[in-house]
Amino acid sequence: MSAFVGAIKVNSVSSSGVFHIGDAYYIQPISSAKTYAGGGSFNTGNGIRVRLGQSDTVVFDQDHIDY
């Protein structure tokens, strides 16, 4: 069923966002990212102790293609 839409003001739409007005059957925003980080990198909180001996972060991509 169609709708009547009044005035619209869009300040911003993020890079992975979707702005749509009207009827829609299927909307799917697509976004991907690859993050490399070593052990203990994304810890949050008070009094965290991380003890790493020898740590490696492997960043080799065998197929060079990301989906």
Side-chain angles (χ1 to χ4, degrees):
M1 177 179 232
S2 297
F4 292 101
V5 179
I8 296 174
K9 179 182 178 183
V10 178
N11 291 327
S12 68
V13 176
S14 68
S15 62
S16 63
V18 171
F19 177 76
H20 181 79
I21 298 175
D23 298 334
Y25 173 73
Y26 186 75
I27 297 176
Q28 179 183 3
I30 297 173
S31 176
S32 64
K34 186 183 286 188
T35 303
Y36 298 109
S41 295
F42 296 115
N43 291 331
T44 58
N46 296 326
I48 293 176
R49 294 180 186 170
V50 177
R51 294 180 183 217
L52 299 172
Q54 195 170 3
S55 177
D56 290 333
T57 301
V58 180
V59 296
F60 178 70
D61 189 4
Q62 293 180 354
D63 60 2
H64 303 286
I65 299 172
D66 296 324
Y67 297 101

